[in-house]
Amino acid sequence: MNVIIGWVLLFGAVLGGFAVAGGHLIVLVQPVEYLIILGAAIAAFVAGNSGKTMKATLGGFKTAFKGSKYNKALYMETLALLFHIFTRARKEGLMAIEEDIEDPHASALFKEAPKVLADHHAVDFITDYLRLMVSSTLDVHQIDNLMDIDIETHHQEASLPATNIGKIADGLPAFGIVAAVLGVVHTMESVAEPPAVLGGLIAAALVGTFLGILVSYGLVAPVSANIEHKVNDSTKYYQSIKAAMIAFMNGYPPQVAAEFGRKVLFSADRPSFQELEEFLKKK
């Protein structure tokens, strides 16, 4: 929604200002310029990426138009889930959570956290490392290092759409110049035409530069930034889960381990200590 609101404000400011200044909006309708700029950008995108990367990038546009799921409600639900898992493991032993790990969708603990259960990446992350805690001989430092590698891989993969869309934005002003140069070339070919015709041709050429810059910095680059913010939120979420799990492996009580996870979160959406404590009591 923020992307759409931003675009509406953008066009309102740019086109409205142009109209108020006495410009004629019809002059900006130059289909050939649009074809050159957008066609060249799409062609460069196709040439520079694999099918898998293109699919991920197009999915990134969908992500940008959706609201972020990383909010206080999800964080409290996740920390409460980890708290209850740790509590059961502490009271009944690690083997007691084996059934929850093997089939989380049938687990009473996971069913209490529907927002977490709906995110299969988060479920896999939690269950994979709980499984290592239960059944492997890895010590806490090795699991800590493996988590860092896993989170970094997740961040790199999730950042691909934002990176590629950013590259498209970087190239659009240059393609706008290409369209403008071709327009100037066409104008020079028509130098024998009357001034009114030449003026129209020059205006059409300048629209190419205008369009390339506007689409780049006003439309495409903000989408890239929007996705990047959501990727950072996602990475911080996994770092919170990691902090809680490592704290528990180091012998801290479940409540303290959950506090480790809470402290990692960004302050804008981080639940307070009292909020989390009250949420745990309700659960």
Side-chain angles (χ1 to χ4, degrees):
M1 182 59 70
N2 286 347
V3 174
I4 296 175
I5 293 174
W7 284 359
V8 170
L9 293 174
L10 169 74
F11 284 111
V14 174
L15 301 183
F18 180 69
V20 169
H24 301 286
L25 296 179
I26 191 64
V27 176
L28 302 178
V29 181
Q30 302 293 339
V32 175
E33 301 289 321
Y34 297 173
L35 173 63
I36 293 172
I37 297 169
L38 300 181
I42 292 171
F45 171 68
V46 172
N49 294 282
S50 64
K52 179 175 66 175
T53 306
M54 287 190 288
K55 183 178 179 180
T57 303
L58 294 176
F61 280 98
K62 182 180 178 181
T63 300
F65 286 96
K66 292 166 58 179
S68 177
K69 64 182 179 181
Y70 299 102
N71 51 39
K72 185 180 293 186
L74 174 63
Y75 297 150
M76 287 201 295
E77 198 172 273
T78 304
L79 293 172
L81 170 63
L82 294 173
F83 169 80
H84 290 304
I85 291 173
F86 298 159
T87 301
R88 173 175 290 181
R90 190 178 181 89
K91 289 181 178 180
E92 304 174 26
L94 286 174
M95 297 305 296
I97 63 173
E98 190 172 13
E99 291 184 2
D100 300 297
I101 297 169
E102 295 305 324
D103 190 3
H105 290 277
S107 165
L109 293 180
F110 277 91
K111 285 181 180 179
E112 288 292 318
K115 290 184 174 64
V116 181
L117 201 56
D119 185 345
H120 71 91
H121 292 296
V123 172
D124 288 345
F125 186 83
I126 293 170
T127 56
D128 283 350
Y129 289 103
L130 287 174
R131 191 176 291 112
L132 287 175
M133 289 168 57
V134 172
S135 61
S136 79
T137 58
L138 296 177
D139 63 31
V140 63
H141 301 293
Q142 291 170 319
I143 293 180
D144 190 346
N145 184 57
L146 184 58
M147 281 183 164
D148 284 337
I149 295 172
D150 195 355
I151 293 172
E152 178 62 25
T153 300
H154 161 78
H155 184 83
Q156 290 176 351
E157 185 176 17
S159 296
L160 277 176
T163 300
N164 285 332
I165 293 172
K167 290 179 179 178
I168 295 172
D170 291 340
L172 281 167
F175 291 129
I177 294 173
V178 169
V181 169
L182 291 176
V184 172
V185 171
H186 179 50
T187 302
M188 298 305 294
E189 291 177 335
S190 309
V191 71
E193 298 291 337
V197 175
L198 291 176
L201 294 175
I202 294 172
L206 293 175
V207 167
T209 303
F210 158 77
L211 180 66
I213 295 173
L214 180 67
V215 173
S216 172
Y217 296 109
L219 299 183
V220 181
V223 171
S224 175
N226 185 291
I227 298 171
E228 186 177 355
H229 292 318
K230 290 176 180 174
V231 170
N232 290 336
D233 287 341
S234 172
T235 300
K236 184 59 65 176
Y237 175 61
Y238 287 105
Q239 288 173 341
S240 171
I241 296 172
K242 174 206 161 184
M245 296 183 76
I246 294 299
F248 179 71
M249 290 185 68
N250 278 320
Y252 289 98
Q255 181 75 41
V256 177
E259 182 66 10
F260 270 76
R262 187 185 74 85
K263 282 296 187 180
V264 171
L265 298 169
F266 290 127
S267 61
D269 293 314
R270 180 200 301 158
S272 68
F273 180 86
Q274 290 79 12
E275 286 176 320
L276 181 58
E277 187 176 30
E278 291 175 6
F279 187 78
L280 292 175
K281 288 180 180 178
K282 289 179 183 178
K283 287 288 182 179

